[in-house]
Amino acid sequence: MTTPLLQGKVAIVTGANRGIGRSVMELFAENGAANIACARRESPEFTALITELVLRHGVTIEPFFFDFENLEAVKD
């Protein structure tokens, strides 16, 4: 078995709960990267997706919820 391409790497993914951001988070997880998943809103579906990816690929995914348009939220 080969080592996943991104094992030991950490990816910061914005817009991780839908669209391109979600696809990128999934691809990085499939390739062994830990993810810092940034999303605007928390939802049960997003939480379930993170759990599924963690269990399937053995990676860590740390979700953060904030709006990039809110500078104070980004700083926090």
Side-chain angles (χ1 to χ4, degrees):
M1 185 170 164
T2 61
T3 302
L5 180 65
L6 298 174
Q7 185 172 351
K9 305 292 182 185
V10 177
I12 299 174
V13 181
T14 60
N17 63 340
R18 63 188 186 101
I20 294 170
R22 179 181 175 150
S23 295
V24 168
M25 178 183 67
E26 292 175 358
L27 184 61
F28 284 171
E30 289 171 14
N31 283 282
N35 280 270
I36 297 173
C38 302
R40 187 177 295 186
R41 289 178 211 81
E42 187 172 2
S43 71
E45 295 82 15
F46 185 59
T47 301
L49 173 63
I50 289 173
T51 300
E52 176 190 338
L53 292 172
V54 167
L55 293 173
R56 186 177 344 142
H57 301 294
V59 297
T60 59
I61 300 177
E62 184 70 37
F64 286 90
F65 301 99
F66 61 92
D67 185 347
F68 268 103
E69 292 181 11
N70 180 336
L71 185 57
E72 289 305 310
V74 173
K75 288 178 183 179
D76 288 341

